[in-house]
Amino acid sequence: MRNMYIALLSAGAALLVGCGSTQVSSVGKPYEMFVVSSPELWQSAAGDTLRAYLADEVEMVNQPEPKFTLYNVPQGGYKSTVSKHRNILILRTGDRYPVSDMTARYDVNAQPQLEVTVTSPSTDSLAAFLHRYGADLTRLFEITERDRLVARAEKYRDPKIGPLIREKFGFEMSIPQGYRVRLDTTDFLWISFELPLASVGFMIYTYPVADSTAAARNTSAGNIIAARNAAVMQVPGPSDGSYMSTSTAVMPDQKILTVHGRRWMQVRGFWDVTGDFMGGPFINYTTYEADKGRMLAIDGYVYSPSPNNTVPMRDYVRQVEAIFMTVRIPK
């Protein structure tokens, strides 16, 4: 998270950071946020700019969902209603603020909590400030929420699945309690957390490569998807003969990540079931292990056929991303 502070400061925004010492537990669901401002400010161009960033649609989920669920509350109702919420954004304008500024404070009235205050001389200058730093502000809240999920996964990790992954594949990964092993074969492991209206799971698998040149070819999106299809067909669908596959309806998204010093290729897309009607988003992380002569893939997926978006798929997808952040492979 310190890197985000540096990014904001280097961009010219004065972001002051402070921490409280309260032990009161915060309230609210992940990726909810209370925006404290006057109704006039909320309905102004500044409010529109803010929503364009914080309520922008989550990428690569198969139903429209905002990055954050926003609730507006006037300044007078702040202390009595939302002061202990996990995510708070306060907007203030007036002549007493000579320049636009931003301050972040942690655990002010509860824990864990992030409270960001943005001040500006006028509504127009606030809109301009949010337009310039809205992406950074959104990323700050996203990283904070992700770090909370990572901490929770590590604190409440399953005492058996973690050691199984370490023994089988040679790396550390914190799988929270509630997940169960569904299939364990020679070079493939499938674990999932089953809920009444959703399923969140991971497949971990490896496949050999001859050398670094072959590994480079295997990090293309097409080859990653081909390897994925060969592996996940072991995951059965609901009807006889059906199995998981990769949807061809939407082009997968690909980018490079560096996590704990290791280079990963991330491919995001949608899965479906050959021979039946199921589907949802997946996130595949693939890396080359030169010392073992193999590709290692960690593939997380979500199934959440919730009517009318009553259960946000966004939260499950981000849970998958957070659990992946606990992966540590020995150098």
Side-chain angles (χ1 to χ4, degrees):
M1 188 169 298
R2 187 176 301 275
N3 291 338
M4 179 55 61
Y5 304 156
I6 295 172
L8 283 167
L9 290 170
S10 64
L15 179 63
L16 306 178
V17 181
C19 295
S21 58
T22 181
Q23 298 298 314
V24 178
S25 297
S26 59
V27 298
K29 299 177 182 178
Y31 299 97
E32 284 185 344
M33 184 187 305
F34 273 98
V35 181
V36 182
S37 73
S38 66
E40 295 78 16
L41 189 58
W42 180 245
Q43 296 300 327
S44 69
D48 292 341
T49 303
L50 182 68
R51 286 186 290 274
Y53 287 101
L54 289 172
D56 190 22
E57 287 189 7
V58 178
E59 60 179 4
M60 301 301 282
V61 298
N62 51 344
Q63 59 190 32
E65 295 184 6
K67 291 181 177 179
F68 285 86
T69 302
L70 305 179
Y71 301 98
N72 178 235
V73 61
Q75 184 68 42
Y78 166 54
K79 288 296 182 183
S80 61
T81 58
V82 301
S83 62
K84 295 180 177 61
H85 197 274
R86 60 195 293 131
N87 299 314
I88 300 173
L89 175 60
I90 303 172
L91 304 179
R92 293 174 179 163
T93 59
D95 295 339
R96 62 186 180 278
Y97 306 114
V99 296
S100 297
D101 205 351
M102 183 155 50
T103 303
R105 299 194 298 167
Y106 289 88
D107 305 337
V108 179
N109 298 302
Q111 190 178 30
Q113 182 183 62
L114 171 58
E115 179 186 281
V116 176
T117 301
V118 183
T119 56
S120 192
S122 67
T123 300
D124 290 342
S125 59
L126 177 62
F129 187 81
L130 292 173
H131 179 73
R132 183 175 183 182
Y133 297 111
D136 293 329
L137 177 64
T138 303
R139 186 66 177 148
L140 176 59
F141 275 103
E142 286 179 332
I143 290 176
T144 301
E145 282 285 28
R146 187 196 68 190
D147 287 349
R148 292 167 183 164
L149 291 173
V150 170
R152 184 173 181 82
E154 292 178 337
K155 181 178 180 179
Y156 298 105
R157 60 182 177 271
D158 187 279
K160 295 181 179 179
I161 297 180
L164 172 63
I165 293 173
R166 181 171 59 250
E167 179 181 355
K168 188 176 182 67
F169 296 105
F171 69 89
E172 301 290 334
M173 184 175 182
S174 296
I175 303 295
Q177 296 173 15
Y179 282 78
R180 297 289 182 267
V181 175
R182 307 298 173 182
L183 182 63
D184 182 1
T185 63
T186 302
D187 54 4
F188 182 87
L189 183 66
W190 170 32
I191 57 178
S192 72
F193 183 36
E194 302 299 325
L195 296 155
L197 295 176
S199 174
V200 183
F202 289 89
M203 285 82 69
I204 305 172
Y205 52 92
T206 63
Y207 47 99
V209 290
D211 49 35
S212 59
T213 301
R217 290 196 301 269
N218 276 273
T219 56
S220 68
N223 286 336
I224 287 175
I225 294 301
R228 179 183 193 274
N229 283 332
V232 304
M233 65 184 304
Q234 300 178 69
V235 177
S239 57
D240 291 344
S242 62
Y243 55 88
M244 180 181 282
S245 56
T246 304
S247 174
T248 58
V250 178
M251 182 69 67
D253 175 72
Q254 183 179 19
K255 67 180 178 181
I256 298 172
L257 298 179
T258 300
V259 180
H260 302 305
R262 174 169 286 273
R263 183 178 184 270
W264 295 82
M265 190 63 67
Q266 181 198 76
V267 176
R268 302 168 66 107
F270 296 95
W271 63 272
D272 52 24
V273 170
T274 298
D276 213 303
F277 300 97
M278 291 179 67
F282 77 85
I283 310 176
N284 179 288
Y285 305 90
T286 297
T287 190
Y288 171 51
E289 294 186 285
D291 58 324
K292 296 182 174 66
R294 71 184 188 183
M295 306 299 293
L296 167 66
I298 303 172
D299 195 288
Y301 71 91
V302 172
Y303 177 62
S304 180
S306 174
N308 302 320
N309 297 359
T310 54
V311 180
M313 193 177 297
R314 165 198 69 194
D315 296 5
Y316 295 134
V317 171
R318 285 170 169 171
Q319 183 181 123
V320 167
E321 294 174 321
I323 293 173
F324 170 74
M325 291 295 166
T326 69
V327 171
R328 286 172 172 81
I329 299 178
K331 294 184 179 179

